[in-house]
Amino acid sequence: MSDPLVRLENVRFAYGERTILRDISLSIPRGKVVAIMGGSGCGKTTLLRLIGGQEKAVGGQVRVDGQDVATLGRDALYAMRRRMGMLFQFGALFTDMTVFDNVAFPLREHTELPAELINDLVLMKLHAVGLRGAARLMPGELSGGMARRVALARTIALDPMLLMYDEPFTGLDPISLGVIGQLIRRLNDALGASSVIVTHDIQESLQIVDYIYFISEGRVVAEGTPDEIRHTTDPFVHQFVHAEVDGPVPFHYPSDDYAAALTGGKA
Amino acid sequence: MGGLRKLGSVAIEVVWQLGFIARFFWLILVYSGQSFTRLNLTIRELYFSGVLSLLIILVSGLFVGLVLGLQGYEILQRYGSSDSMGTMVALSLLRELGPVVAGLLFASRAGSAVTAEIGLMKVTEQLKAMDMMAVSPIARVVAPRFWGGVISMPLLAAMFSTMGIFGGWLIGVVFIGIDDGAFWSQMQAAVDFRYDVLNGVIKSCAFGVAVSLIAVFQGYDCVPTAEGVSRAITRTVVSSALAILALDFVMTSFMFRGL
Ligand SMILES: Nc1ncnc2c1ncn2[C@@H]1O[C@H](COP(=O)(O)OP(=O)(O)O)[C@@H](O)[C@H]1O
Ligand SMILES: [Mg+2]
């Protein structure tokens, strides 16, 4: 196989003083769907922002299609992002535009296509997510699951080579959740793209992805194919799969000594 | 010691903020090409900032003119020169009240709306999403709103002054009975186009740039939470008002020295 589409090598990242990612190495092979799992606040969104070039790694390298993202100038970065699609956690639809105009937005911004062609393309994308009938609605009129599907249609408007999903399953009912999961898999294969899903929904991920990475405390702590993950004895993965409260992932946010804090020590 | 340190940190904060605004202003200018090549974006904002502010500007202008008429007559008749009422009303509006009051109204009506809109777009990650789609939010969202405000402001100030003069005329000529001819001819003789009208227009343009810049900056820079947006809106209104009044003093001291 050719080299992977995305490769992170020993990536380190911090917001100011606070180190979020310590040492992450992973790769997303072409044509595959990869899940990155970890608890809330472990830096999953940050990881996607590093791949998209919205943040720059403090150490290590993020390579997308052979290019080191950190070294790209603004124009090269924008050229690269045109071939990427990112589905934001809450959809991030433009609230002042209709569903149709939202999906048409990337096409109108980046192509010189005539209006009839854009019309056809938008309807095709909306049809792919099953919402052609909602084209004239405003984002405020959509349910959470519908909004996410519209955002998905907008994400694939320019047929990207890399699709990034930030917690696509959060806050959905079981049916919408299954629908989104199937769409992610289908679109990846139909577009010949590669996908990365950032999530903490292990059951859904096990069904649709090709490979899974687990992140904790800024490091990759486990990885494997869904089959390997199901049968692993790794304590971290075990805690995750069985939703245990305490284990390798601590219940407490890092803090001072509890007793000292209660007896009037510096909080 | 603690007070001194606090003062120092506030000073540093202010300088940082000014630096940010200056850099942001530069970015807006760099990315403004799009706002003019794709004029419909700016025209939309002209509608939201300008046209929708029209009513409050016209009504306020009328009231200010009515009050100027009453006060002006009361003062001028002590000196037996109530005929010069037109002059007084026109000069106060064109030089000061038009630009300043219209600017203050514009900041609270349109500036706050722009801050709220951009701030909410930030909260809901619309700006980040746009950036990820390789569309610059400064070019697509900020610059059109900036130019919409800059273009609206002088036009609104002019309409404010026009309504004000009409209000003064209503009081002076229609209600009090000053001679219609004297009202207009004295005004025409006393108001100089370059000295009075043009200087007023320059002021309103400066206020337009200041208010629009503050409004888009506060929205773009806000802390992306509900509380952050509400603070940003407050800051837009307060700092716009301060900026308008301070700029007005500085410009007046250069423009009208009564030499
Ligand atoms: N812009 C930011 N500035 C400072 N800290 C941030 C910022 N964004 C996120 N963080 C912090 O970084 C950590 C990781 O955030 P994130 O990547 O959003 O986590 P996840 O998506 O896994 O829930 C969180 O603890 C969050 O508080
Ligand atoms: Mg997140």
Side-chain angles (χ1 to χ4, degrees), chain A residues 223-247:
Chain A
E223 59 184 284
T225 61
D227 266 342
E228 290 164 3
I229 295 297
R230 280 194 195 95
H231 302 111
T232 186
T233 51
D234 185 284
F236 178 88
V237 177
H238 192 268
Q239 183 189 358
F240 219 98
V241 175
H242 298 276
E244 288 157 2
V245 173
D246 220 347

Side-chain angles (χ1 to χ4, degrees), chain A residues 17 25 33 43 49 119 159 169 183 202 214 225 252 266:
Chain A
E17 295 289 288
S25 298
V33 180
R49 288 164 58 74
N119 182 64
D159 296 339
F169 308 123
L183 271 176
I202 184 134
F214 288 88
T225 61
H252 288 288
K266 239 175 61 177

Side-chain angles (χ1 to χ4, degrees), chain A residues 45 89 166-167:
Chain A
T45 301
Q89 194 162 350
D166 192 357
E167 308 211 3

Side-chain angles (χ1 to χ4, degrees), chain A residues 49 52 54 74 78 81-82 84 86 88-89 92-97 105-106 109-110 154 164, chain B residues 31 34 38 41 44 117 121 124-137 140 145:
Chain A
R49 288 164 58 74
Q54 284 193 324
R74 185 179 163 276
Y78 266 19
R81 283 187 195 159
R82 271 178 226 187
M84 289 180 169
M86 173 134 154
F88 281 74
Q89 194 162 350
L93 292 175
F94 301 130
T95 40
D96 57 341
M97 300 180 194
F105 183 86
E109 291 292 325
H110 292 310
R154 184 179 70 178
M164 295 187 273
Chain B
Y31 286 112
Q34 261 199 34
R38 293 171 51 192
L41 291 178
R44 200 185 104 106
E117 195 185 11
M121 290 183 83
T124 52
E125 296 193 308
Q126 294 179 45
L127 298 181
K128 268 184 202 164
M130 205 175 265
D131 189 43
M132 266 311 293
M133 283 187 254
V135 176
S136 159
R140 187 65 170 61
R145 283 166 177 75

Side-chain angles (χ1 to χ4, degrees), chain B residues 169-201:
Chain B
W169 175 84
L170 271 184
I171 291 291
V173 176
V174 178
F175 289 101
I176 297 175
I178 295 173
D179 181 57
D180 201 9
F183 183 91
W184 293 114
S185 65
Q186 291 226 6
M187 187 193 299
Q188 197 181 5
V191 175
D192 181 66
F193 178 74
R194 272 206 49 196
Y195 194 63
D196 301 310
V197 178
L198 206 60
N199 276 338
V201 171

